[in-house]
Amino acid sequence: MDECVKKIAEELVIAAKRAYTRGIQTGSGGNVSARVPGKDLMIVKASGGSFADCAPDKFVITDFDGNLVEGEGKPTREALLHGLLYRICPDVNAVVHTHSPYSIAWASTGKALPRTTWHAKLKICADIPTLNVPAAMVKPEYFSLVEEIYKETPDLPAFLLVDHGLVAVGKDAINAEHTAELIEETAQVAIFKAAVSKLNL
């Protein structure tokens, strides 16, 4: 692992551990990745490891089709989705996918997540779409759904997956993780506001 890739892997570790500490990903679920500059390669979390236990040497390098290029371990099964995002979003350098509870709860409505706070309106360019992918991973047959939302909104920072969680992208791993936190907070507020509106206070 060269110094540039090692530095990016260290940023992925920071992002993963923060996501775990903030409670937007527990156990061994979720995945993170980052683009290798100048190459059609990405640094990806190996399958089975926890965000809490991430370390630079526990990542692997794959091509955008998820084929192992360097490192030990099996790449996350979501590597294909990460690769798709790097292909269609040239300004995206990192992807953070978490099984965040409020985001999953909101996604069950099938509706786009509205920007319910001023913070969300300032930081997010559009309401966050929800994709209904009837599987535990985004398989190639569902890639057109992802491509469609990015064709409509190229700067989209995230999307939700029904019964699955959220996928956030960014200029680097820290940025993508911060976006994941903001999306989860926004989903939480949206749910609370919906509940309060039914109380007729």
Side-chain angles (χ1 to χ4, degrees), residues 36 39-44 59-73 75:
V36 175
K39 299 180 180 179
D40 289 343
L41 299 174
M42 54 187 176
I43 310 160
V44 182
F59 288 92
V60 297
I61 296 176
T62 75
D63 62 21
F64 290 168
D65 293 318
N67 298 308
L68 185 66
V69 173
E70 182 181 329
E72 298 181 4

Side-chain angles (χ1 to χ4, degrees), residues 12-60:
L12 284 169
V13 169
I14 293 170
K17 289 182 181 292
R18 180 177 170 91
Y20 188 88
T21 300
R22 297 288 292 166
I24 63 173
Q25 181 56 59
T26 60
S28 61
N31 39 77
V32 295
S33 73
R35 187 193 297 270
V36 175
K39 299 180 180 179
D40 289 343
L41 299 174
M42 54 187 176
I43 310 160
V44 182
K45 172 183 171 286
S47 183
S50 168
F51 275 21
D53 303 326
C54 277
D57 61 354
K58 291 186 178 180
F59 288 92
V60 297

